[in-house]
Amino acid sequence: MDTLLSLVERIRDCFGVQVCVHDVSGVTYSRASLNLPYRWKSHGCAYCSAAKQCIGVERCMLQKQVVMYRLKRSGAKPFYGVCNMGVCEYIQPVVQEGRLLAVVFASGVAREDAQAARRKLEESLARGGCALAEQTLQSYEAFAQSTFATRAILSFLAELVCKHIRSAAVSYAESGVQPDAYPVEAVSRSQSGTVRAILDYLEGDICGPLTLRDLSSVFFMSEGHLCRIFKREMGLSIMAYVKQVRIRTAARLLLKGDEPVSAIGQRVGLADPNYFCRAFKSVMGVSPTEYRRVHALDQE
């Protein structure tokens, strides 16, 4: 069987269609044939990267949360739509025995929607007042010209990837490992699949706005279950983990220049200066100002 990576790469090379696999269960860690680099899980193509620079990662993450909310409300039924940045997407959930394993996004510019998609992009850029609007439009044109797609093609390719994932998941189950309350949960306990999927998601924008409710929606789990499996494997709560990573990111930024402490707090998602200083001291043992001063002396 081909690997999932080779399949999505061939789809890109043949059709110019970008596939994103949002793993909500850890299934992409259950077999080597399903492993994917992070860029294939996060809309990491050249155009999407340019769009995120223009409008900010937070808005892209919000759109993904809206998609996941719609899937939950509809009972995980596939659907087609056009995102605010002009990308046409067919969204196909990977369901096995009534459980959601992953969500496949097949993205391009469908021929029948090309004009409407571009108008939606232009309206989004106009509302946002993006300084990189011209460069984003140029990147979009290149993306659109490289895509050979229609709604039917996007639907077919999304289902093709879904079948590949389901087939590999069934093959793994037949080898003797049976999932329990959550899809591939047995695999998750041995290989930290679910938790690694959560860490992958957090890696995409750990400094943006984030709540347990958001993560619960994105991963189709209750807040309690999400917290339990994360703490069981990581030894601390999700929000404590997020706090530590934000603070250590801030520590690196403090040593890179003379950017004000309050500005660095905002950059890592801790906009309240007083809270940022308290949180920093609780993790690093000293205040941000003292941390910068001590390390400056060490470098002299």
Side-chain angles (χ1 to χ4, degrees):
M1 178 186 291
D2 289 339
T3 66
L4 180 57
L5 177 59
S6 67
L7 176 60
V8 297
E9 286 179 334
R10 286 208 311 277
I11 288 173
R12 177 200 59 196
D13 295 341
C14 294
F15 296 93
V17 171
Q18 302 292 324
V19 174
C20 170
V21 178
H22 177 46
D23 184 352
V24 301
S25 67
V27 67
T28 58
Y29 298 99
S30 65
R31 291 179 69 87
S33 64
L34 290 178
N35 287 168
L36 280 178
Y38 181 68
R39 67 174 297 273
W40 292 99
K41 299 179 181 180
S42 62
H43 288 80
C45 70
Y47 171 63
C48 286
S49 297
K52 289 173 185 176
Q53 287 184 354
C54 182
I55 65 171
V57 175
E58 293 85 357
R59 284 177 61 184
C60 288
M61 287 290 190
L62 177 61
Q63 289 190 90
K64 181 177 280 188
Q65 290 169 10
V66 170
V67 165
M68 299 303 289
Y69 178 75
R70 177 170 173 174
L71 285 174
K72 182 174 287 189
R73 290 292 300 272
S74 70
K77 293 180 179 179
F79 65 95
Y80 170 86
V82 182
C83 84
N84 289 334
M85 297 306 286
V87 177
C88 305
E89 293 190 307
Y90 193 84
I91 293 106
Q92 176 79 46
V94 185
V95 179
Q96 185 183 55
E97 298 180 355
R99 300 294 182 179
L100 184 70
L101 301 183
V103 179
V104 174
F105 297 74
S107 309
V109 180
R111 288 202 298 267
E112 59 264 59
D113 297 314
Q115 292 183 348
R118 183 184 170 89
R119 283 197 302 271
K120 191 167 187 178
L121 168 62
E122 291 172 343
E123 291 169 0
S124 181
L125 292 176
R127 286 196 305 270
C130 174
L132 300 174
E134 189 60 37
Q135 296 94 312
T136 303
L137 282 171
Q138 291 175 3
S139 182
Y140 181 77
E141 289 297 336
F143 176 63
Q145 291 173 13
S146 68
T147 303
F148 177 77
T150 62
R151 292 186 185 186
I153 288 174
L154 292 176
S155 172
F156 170 77
L157 295 174
E159 179 58 28
L160 181 66
V161 174
C162 285
K163 286 181 177 179
H164 182 96
I165 296 172
R166 281 196 298 266
S167 176
V170 168
S171 173
Y172 192 87
E174 289 176 347
S175 70
V177 178
Q178 297 296 325
D180 53 20
Y182 275 83
V184 297
E185 184 67 12
V187 176
S188 300
R189 278 198 292 269
S190 62
Q191 298 186 359
S192 301
T194 302
V195 170
R196 277 194 276 174
I198 295 169
L199 293 175
D200 271 355
Y201 181 83
L202 294 176
E203 180 184 326
D205 185 31
I206 201 163
C207 293
L210 184 68
T211 67
L212 276 177
R213 186 175 182 179
D214 293 336
L215 289 171
S216 171
S217 176
V218 166
F219 285 92
F220 273 64
M221 297 180 188
S222 69
E223 293 180 22
H225 185 74
L226 192 72
C227 290
R228 282 193 296 275
I229 64 172
F230 192 92
K231 189 167 186 177
R232 181 184 66 207
E233 297 186 27
M234 298 296 292
L236 73 172
S237 71
I238 293 178
M239 300 316 294
Y241 171 83
V242 170
K243 175 184 172 182
Q244 285 195 8
V245 175
R246 285 175 168 174
I247 293 302
R248 297 190 188 285
T249 301
R252 290 195 298 271
L253 293 173
L254 284 165
L255 303 183
K256 284 187 175 180
D258 57 359
E259 187 176 6
V261 168
S262 59
I264 289 176
Q266 290 182 337
R267 285 182 61 181
V268 300
L270 301 173
D272 183 326
N274 292 327
Y275 176 76
F276 172 56
C277 289
R278 290 197 304 272
F280 191 96
K281 188 170 184 177
S282 70
V283 174
M284 305 302 293
V286 294
S287 69
T289 302
E290 184 68 8
Y291 182 86
R292 172 180 273 169
R293 187 186 69 80
V294 170
H295 281 78
L297 290 174
D298 289 343
Q299 295 173 3
E300 290 181 355

